[in-house]
């Protein structure tokens, strides 16, 4: 029992000693939400040894421009504009015999963007529409709507026609057995977090199953027309060439006959 008591006292001593030497970082503000700008501030108290420097991180990655060699126990990071691009987990880090940090969350309303604002698919195939978010915190709920005649109709997940697959970062709507008359149109994705809701629109075009053949058929038609033009041209050109050949061939024959006749007359005169 005595040994256990001594061991317990020793542990308590170590705990108090560590509590006394552990530095405290006061952040102001502790959390940023629904603000258009902010200055993040950290103050370090009771450092175990001299401070060698400090820097800031965002989502675990160092913001390189913030690293400073200094013995100061105070640091600031300015956010002149807060939107979905710079929301996240920021941390001030002080460098001493070891590193000490404090996290400040910068939260923003959700931001939703269509991966493509125009998608297309062929009849009877499956259409895929995708929306993504890069805000912090990410949406905790996704919903889809079909816009018809200016009215939004909610899309029910898990039917023969629709299936929705969602993660905090993105949502995918699959439309099965595409129909040109029923499925073509505008779709809207909505993402929601604790600070609000955002949406974006995607236009879905549905083509005939034979649409993919049109380029090939166009090439075939062009080849047929080209062959027909060449055939007609050759057919018209050949008679002219034959006439030219006959004319050029007959001329030498006439010339030879005239020459032979003259030579015969000369011989007859000489003999006389």
């Amino acid at each position: 029992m005595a040994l256990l008591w001594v061991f317990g006292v020793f542990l308590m001593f170590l705990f108090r000693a560590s509590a006394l030497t552990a530095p405290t970082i006061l952040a102001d503000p502790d959390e940023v939400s629904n603000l258009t700008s902010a200055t993040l501030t950290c103050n370090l108290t009771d450092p175990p040894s001299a401070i060698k420097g400090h820097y800031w991180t965002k989502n675990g990655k160092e913001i390189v421009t913030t690293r400073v060699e200094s013995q100061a126990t105070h640091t600031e990071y300015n956010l002149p504009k807060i939107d979905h691009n710079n929301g996240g987990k920021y941390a001030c880090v002080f460098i001493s015999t070891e590193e000490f940090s404090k996290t400040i969350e910068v939260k923003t309303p959700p931001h939703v963007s269509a991966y493509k604002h125009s998608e297309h698919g062929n009849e009877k195939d499956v259409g895929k529409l995708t929306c993504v978010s890069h805000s912090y915190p990410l949406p905790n709920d996704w919903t889809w709507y079909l816009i018809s005649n200016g009215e939004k109709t909610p899309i029910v997940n898990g039917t023969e026609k629709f299936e929705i697959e969602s993660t905090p970062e993105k949502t995918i709507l699959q439309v099965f057995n595409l129909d040109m008359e029923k499925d073509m149109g505008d779709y809207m994705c909505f993402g929601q977090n604790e600070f609000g809701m955002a949406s974006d629109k995607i236009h879905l075009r549905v083509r005939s199953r034979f649409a993919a053949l049109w380029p090939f058929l166009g090439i075939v038609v062009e080849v047929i027309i080209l062959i027909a033009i060449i055939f007609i041209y050759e057919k018209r050109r050949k008679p002219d060439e034959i006439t030219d050949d006959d004319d050029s061939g007959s001329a030498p024959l006439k010339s030879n006959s005239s020459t032979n006749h003259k030579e015969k007359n000369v011989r007859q005169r000489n003999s006389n």
Side-chain angles (χ1 to χ4, degrees):
M1 292 294 294
L3 291 176
L4 291 175
W5 182 81
V6 172
F7 183 73
V9 172
F10 179 73
L11 289 178
M12 290 180 64
F13 175 79
L14 290 178
F15 176 78
R16 289 180 178 178
S18 61
L20 290 173
T21 57
T24 300
I25 300 177
L26 300 176
D28 182 28
D30 291 329
E31 179 182 296
V32 176
S33 59
N34 284 333
L35 295 179
T36 57
S37 63
T39 299
L40 311 182
T41 303
C42 286
N43 287 289
L44 175 67
T45 61
D46 303 323
S49 59
I51 299 300
K52 301 177 182 178
H54 50 76
Y55 61 92
W56 287 81
T57 66
K58 179 186 177 183
N59 297 328
K61 295 183 179 180
E62 179 181 346
I63 305 173
V64 179
T65 56
T66 62
R67 181 175 283 267
V68 175
E69 293 184 1
S70 171
Q71 295 183 349
T73 58
H74 173 85
T75 181
E76 294 182 353
Y77 185 69
N78 186 38
L79 292 172
K81 180 181 178 181
I82 297 177
D83 56 21
H84 68 278
N85 291 314
N86 51 27
K89 291 184 177 181
Y90 290 80
C92 55
V93 183
F94 291 92
I95 307 170
S96 182
T97 51
E98 57 183 298
E99 292 187 345
F100 306 98
S101 64
K102 177 71 174 180
T103 299
I104 303 174
E105 291 185 293
V106 177
K107 299 181 178 181
T108 65
H111 176 268
V112 173
S113 176
Y115 184 70
K116 290 182 180 180
H117 286 97
S118 179
E119 292 280 4
H120 65 268
N122 298 324
E123 279 186 305
K124 307 300 181 182
D125 288 346
V126 180
K128 287 188 176 183
L129 313 180
T130 304
C131 286
V132 298
S133 178
H134 302 289
S135 54
Y136 181 86
L138 292 167
N140 51 31
D141 186 38
W142 290 97
T143 53
W144 284 87
Y145 292 85
L146 171 62
I147 301 176
S148 178
N149 298 323
E151 296 184 359
K152 294 187 299 183
T153 303
I155 295 176
V156 180
N157 187 22
T159 64
E160 293 183 358
K161 191 65 178 176
F162 300 106
E163 182 175 326
I164 301 172
E165 298 178 359
S166 299
T167 64
E169 292 84 4
K170 67 179 179 179
T171 179
I172 300 174
L173 170 65
Q174 296 188 82
V175 186
F176 300 103
N177 195 23
L178 287 174
D179 185 280
M180 290 185 65
E181 296 182 359
K182 297 179 180 179
D183 300 326
M184 187 180 299
D186 293 328
Y187 293 77
M188 290 193 73
C189 55
F190 284 78
Q192 182 176 0
N193 67 11
E194 58 186 297
F195 298 102
M197 178 181 291
S199 65
D200 205 358
K201 184 187 296 184
I202 303 174
H203 182 72
L204 175 62
R205 294 176 295 172
V206 182
R207 304 179 302 185
S208 168
R209 289 181 63 85
F210 300 102
L213 295 176
W214 292 126
F216 173 75
L217 294 176
I219 294 174
V220 172
V221 171
E222 288 180 359
V223 171
I224 292 174
I225 293 174
L226 181 61
I227 293 174
I229 293 173
I230 294 174
F231 177 77
I232 294 172
Y233 174 77
E234 291 292 333
K235 190 156 181 129
R236 290 183 177 181
R237 188 172 67 89
K238 284 183 179 179
D240 296 338
E241 289 181 350
I242 292 173
T243 302
D244 294 342
D245 291 343
D246 289 344
D247 293 342
S248 62
S250 61
L253 291 176
K254 291 180 180 179
S255 177
N256 291 337
S257 176
S258 176
T259 303
N260 292 336
H261 182 70
K262 289 180 179 180
E263 289 178 353
K264 187 176 180 180
N265 290 336
V266 171
R267 289 175 183 173
Q268 286 179 352
R269 288 175 182 175
N270 293 333
S271 63
N272 293 331

